[in-house]
Amino acid sequence: MLGRGGAGFPAGTKWGLMPAGKYPRYLVVNGDESEPGTYKDRLLMERDPHQLVEGCLIAAYAAGLSQVFLYIRGEMPLAHERVAVALNDAYAAGYVGKNILGTNFSVDIVLHWGAGAYVVGEETALIESLEGKRGEPRLKPPFFPAAIGLYGQPTIVNNVETLSNLPWLLVNGAQAFTAIGTATSPGTRMVAVSGHVVRPGVYEIVNGTTTFRDLLYGDEFCQGIRDGNELKAFVPGGGSAPWFTPEQLDLPFEGKLVGAAGSMLGSGAIMVMDHTTDIPTAALTLTRFYAAESCGQCTPCREGGTWLERVLQRVVDGRGTHADLAQMMEIGESICPGAFPHAASERLGLAATPFPYKMTTICFVGPSAYAPVHSALTLFRDEFEAKIVERRHIPVSIEAVGAH
Amino acid sequence: MGRGRAPAGGGRRRGPQSRLNEANVILAKEIIGRYPKARSATIPLLHLSQQQNGYVTNDAIAHVAELVGATSAEVLGTATFYEMFKFEPVGKYLVNICGTMSCQLLGADDLMHHAEARLGVRAGGTTADGMFTLEHAECQAACTEAPNMQVNYRHCHRMTTAAFDQLIDDLAAGRLDGEIPPHGTLARIRQQIPADKAAGVAPPDAPVEPAWMLAPEATS
Ligand SMILES: Cc1cc2nc3c(=O)[nH]c(=O)nc-3n(C[C@H](O)[C@H](O)[C@H](O)COP(=O)(O)O)c2cc1C
Ligand code: SF4
Ligand code: FES
């Protein structure tokens, strides 16, 4: 079971990282869903809260977790209400709380409210926030939450979708689960496809085998690009992910392959752009997002993100120069030194630069402000060039002026 | 009701109602009791104060600090980190229009222009009658239903300019009072943990191995 929160880390391995014999251990459920393009955890919380509650109980029972905190993004009141009803019913029925079903298994699930801050979705920031502080990510390594987390205790942070898979897994068994998908990417996952497709929506796909082409063009999925338009580009894994073009359509949902091709599967969010899309403007909406969401701890993210946004805005507004384009790449270099991942392009004669990248920041918000700019500039430089004003020389002769 | 309306003179509303009222103090203590450390209740209590007053007042910050055992500066430091806490009165309805990629691709800019024209305020502004505050917002986890907006964080999917006008008319006429509470009220249904059903908090300084790990019992 690979984590569905973005990093794709194996859940079982994470649970096994807790130091033996150290108690109490906590479970923090990450329901902060706010990565651009991502829409699945809210759906799971609103439409099937009982499944999530069961998943929390299974995790707590299996890993010896003494208390569960279910952190739901503040801007999702309906999810709060639905999960609250599910929990209230479960307490009344004796499924959650003290001596569950008459056994010695006792655990509380506490519903917690967020208050609007994207970076809080990062697991160490989530813990800080749950401790009543500003949601600023902690430096890691050395200490991952499984070793030192909430109140300094071993803490498992898992995504809502990850935990929602557990009831099915337990009922049907690991064999049934691994029979779906591939050996390295078993099971199904939920993906949200938005933007210029005929039938945008949240779909359940088979890991490792379903391809982007199946998803974007398949009858049971998105049924192609709207108005019979051409596909220009798509973001394959949430706003932080480098972009793909039609050349990458035949890649399956397999983390290693997508990583080698220069992007990531991330949070299962695919944003589709047809040929009418103004690429620099589309990139700006993402860079603006990450610049606004910087927590301000790291200079390259705080300053670099804002700077990127301003320069890009200037270019989009038609006031940019050629030097601005070079400058954006330079700012990116200060956030992510060295080669930054991007897709291959036959049209441009470019080979792919694979994941991962180096970074000078604590978390991925800084690099994420750069990712859309880097992809857009690498794959669609002509569109930026077209927005540049040619600053011609003023036709005045210096000699003539001097001779006056 | 004009709950979030700025008082004449634009000053902040002061007075006893800025601290949590008696009923909310009882609720606050119940919420604090669910956490191993009281300070963890900071955000839920700030929401509670915002539900009571429409925004987070200085007095409420001081009161929350007393309740969770932190300083006012610590609570203020936390509060200002989060987008949802407002420190000035806002409209009864907070209208948040998403402008992130999926919504931008499907017309968020047009929706925002229309909203500004219809409400007669720029993004960030509040209408003169104190009814609506318009804000530019980021991804609302509804991207497949773009373009999206929220009113007091209730989602409105696949918005059109006509649907926007209808929504504003309905809100102004009070036709949606049952569905959309005034700004500050987050969830209308709260979690209840009956005292006799609670497993109890697991304090970090009480290193107890859970009973079921020591002696697993089969459930029937
Ligand atoms: C800036 C940032 C934002 C994140 N936001 C979320 C989020 O909203 N929800 C989520 O589950 N994981 C998010 N993550 C990933 C978490 O840090 C963490 O990996 C995840 O919750 C672990 O759960 P999983 O192993 O079940 O996937 C984010 C990571 C970063 C760096
Ligand atoms: S990268 Fe940005 S958001 Fe992340 S810790 Fe540094 S400043 Fe904060
Ligand atoms: S981009 Fe608008 S809801 Fe996600």
Side-chain angles (χ1 to χ4, degrees):
Chain A
M1 180 72 220
L2 303 180
R4 304 290 198 249
F9 195 79
T13 310
K14 188 190 279 188
W15 295 9
L17 289 174
M18 289 186 293
K22 193 170 175 204
Y23 294 98
R25 300 163 165 180
Y26 302 109
L27 173 63
V28 178
V29 184
N30 195 340
D32 194 55
E33 182 165 64
S34 25
E35 170 82 351
T38 314
Y39 177 28
K40 60 185 180 74
D41 299 338
R42 177 165 79 90
L43 212 55
L44 285 168
M45 292 188 282
E46 288 179 357
R47 308 278 178 96
D48 203 346
H50 298 95
Q51 180 176 250
L52 174 61
V53 171
E54 285 172 32
C56 294
L57 292 173
I58 293 166
Y61 186 79
L65 311 171
S66 302
Q67 203 174 350
V68 179
F69 299 93
L70 213 171
Y71 191 120
I72 302 183
R73 179 173 172 187
E75 295 110 324
M76 298 181 178
L78 186 61
H80 280 266
E81 290 176 354
R82 295 265 166 89
V83 174
V85 170
L87 282 172
N88 291 348
D89 290 350
Y91 268 98
Y95 297 147
V96 181
K98 194 170 168 181
N99 300 124
I100 294 168
L101 296 171
T103 66
N104 64 2
F105 175 40
S106 296
V107 69
D108 275 339
I109 300 179
V110 176
L111 187 53
H112 187 87
W113 297 8
Y118 162 72
V119 67
V120 160
E122 195 280 337
E123 57 187 8
T124 60
L126 194 71
I127 288 169
E128 289 284 309
S129 180
L130 193 51
E131 291 182 356
K133 301 179 195 149
R134 298 168 74 82
E136 292 170 352
R138 297 174 180 172
L139 202 56
K140 61 170 187 179
F143 300 118
F144 288 87
I148 299 184
L150 185 64
Y151 314 127
Q153 292 298 119
T155 302
I156 295 301
V157 180
N158 269 139
N159 169 261
V160 163
E161 187 190 349
T162 309
L163 292 162
S164 295
N165 267 286
L166 299 183
W168 192 95
L169 234 165
L170 208 69
V171 168
N172 298 285
Q175 267 185 338
F177 186 76
T178 49
I180 307 167
T182 57
T184 44
S185 300
T188 61
R189 75 176 291 174
M190 288 172 74
V191 294
V193 192
S194 59
H196 299 151
V197 285
V198 174
R199 216 166 57 130
V202 184
Y203 298 100
E204 186 170 4
I205 55 141
V206 177
N207 273 326
T209 58
T210 306
T211 65
F212 287 101
R213 189 184 299 282
D214 296 336
L215 183 61
L216 299 196
Y217 291 91
D219 269 350
E220 69 276 43
F221 299 118
C222 299
Q223 301 177 349
I225 309 303
R226 65 163 186 189
D227 304 332
N229 287 353
E230 301 272 317
L231 172 65
K232 189 170 189 174
F234 60 102
V235 188
S240 307
W243 299 6
F244 279 165
T245 66
E247 288 180 37
Q248 285 78 37
L249 272 175
D250 291 312
L251 281 169
F253 278 81
E254 173 21 78
K256 287 221 166 64
L257 292 176
V258 169
S263 191
M264 61 176 193
L265 291 176
S267 54
I270 294 94
M271 292 177 277
V272 179
M273 294 168 260
D274 72 9
H275 75 263
T276 67
T277 308
D278 179 337
I279 291 285
T281 304
L284 176 61
T285 68
L286 292 176
T287 297
R288 188 178 59 211
F289 175 89
Y290 294 106
E293 298 296 334
S294 169
C295 82
Q297 284 191 101
C298 324
T299 311
C301 169
R302 184 186 64 236
E303 303 298 327
T306 317
W307 201 3
L308 274 175
E309 183 202 340
R310 289 215 196 124
V311 177
L312 183 53
Q313 179 79 59
R314 186 158 73 214
V315 173
V316 165
D317 290 346
R319 293 182 289 112
T321 63
H322 288 288
D324 283 340
L325 304 188
Q327 176 146 58
M328 286 194 282
M329 293 302 232
E330 263 170 49
I331 300 167
E333 176 78 22
S334 72
I335 302 170
C336 297
F340 195 84
H342 64 78
S345 169
E346 224 172 285
R347 178 173 70 91
L348 301 168
L350 275 178
T353 300
F355 250 68
Y357 45 73
K358 291 199 190 78
M359 57 201 246
T360 58
T361 55
I362 294 175
C363 85
F364 292 96
V365 172
S368 300
Y370 181 49
V373 178
H374 183 271
S375 285
L377 257 176
T378 305
L379 300 169
F380 301 97
R381 195 180 176 90
D382 46 341
E383 291 201 30
F384 288 84
E385 303 271 357
K387 286 188 187 288
I388 300 298
V389 271
E390 293 296 338
R391 296 256 158 85
R392 292 173 197 282
H393 293 289
I394 301 167
V396 171
S397 152
I398 300 293
E399 286 95 294
V401 174
H404 198 285
Chain B
M1 219 176 74
R3 173 182 218 154
R5 197 166 181 172
R12 288 195 186 178
R13 182 167 49 191
R14 296 210 145 260
Q17 83 269 35
S18 286
R19 287 172 67 84
L20 293 181
N21 61 31
E22 231 169 281
N24 280 338
V25 168
I26 294 171
L27 196 51
K29 290 190 172 152
E30 194 186 315
I31 293 170
I32 290 169
R34 292 178 192 161
Y35 297 94
K37 294 194 175 183
R39 203 175 156 191
S40 285
T42 303
I43 292 177
L45 298 200
L46 284 167
H47 276 303
L48 192 59
S49 83
Q50 187 154 269
Q51 171 165 343
Q52 180 184 299
N53 300 319
Y55 67 104
V56 178
T57 64
N58 290 340
D59 290 351
I61 286 177
H63 198 184
V64 169
E66 278 167 38
L67 288 165
V68 305
T71 65
S72 291
E74 284 169 334
V75 173
L76 181 67
T78 296
T80 52
F81 190 81
Y82 299 91
E83 190 65 38
M84 290 176 78
F85 296 128
K86 308 296 178 197
F87 303 96
E88 301 283 339
V90 295
K92 181 178 179 186
Y93 297 112
L94 185 63
V95 177
N96 282 330
I97 297 186
C98 176
T100 314
M101 186 183 244
S102 310
C103 290
Q104 188 272 336
L105 288 174
L106 290 169
D109 295 344
D110 292 344
L111 186 61
M112 181 53 104
H113 291 148
H114 178 81
E116 287 182 333
R118 166 69 211 254
L119 295 175
V121 293
R122 288 238 171 249
T126 300
T127 55
D129 61 1
M131 282 294 278
F132 300 100
T133 296
L134 181 65
E135 280 189 354
H136 173 100
E138 300 288 1
C139 184
Q140 298 171 339
C143 320
T144 64
E145 311 306 307
N148 295 298
M149 54 174 272
Q150 292 183 315
V151 177
N152 291 347
Y153 306 106
R154 270 69 187 168
H155 283 89
C156 308
H157 292 156
R158 300 192 189 228
M159 285 306 285
T160 59
T161 52
F164 182 87
D165 289 343
Q166 183 66 50
L167 182 66
I168 295 299
D169 289 343
D170 288 345
L171 287 166
R175 283 191 289 270
L176 294 174
D177 282 358
E179 284 151 64
I180 304 185
H183 177 257
T185 302
L186 205 48
R188 290 157 302 175
I189 302 162
R190 285 181 178 277
Q191 180 180 19
Q192 316 281 344
I193 304 184
D196 60 322
K197 305 265 190 184
V201 296
D205 45 8
V208 205
E209 180 153 6
W212 68 93
M213 295 297 275
L214 292 166
E217 292 175 13
T219 52
S220 50

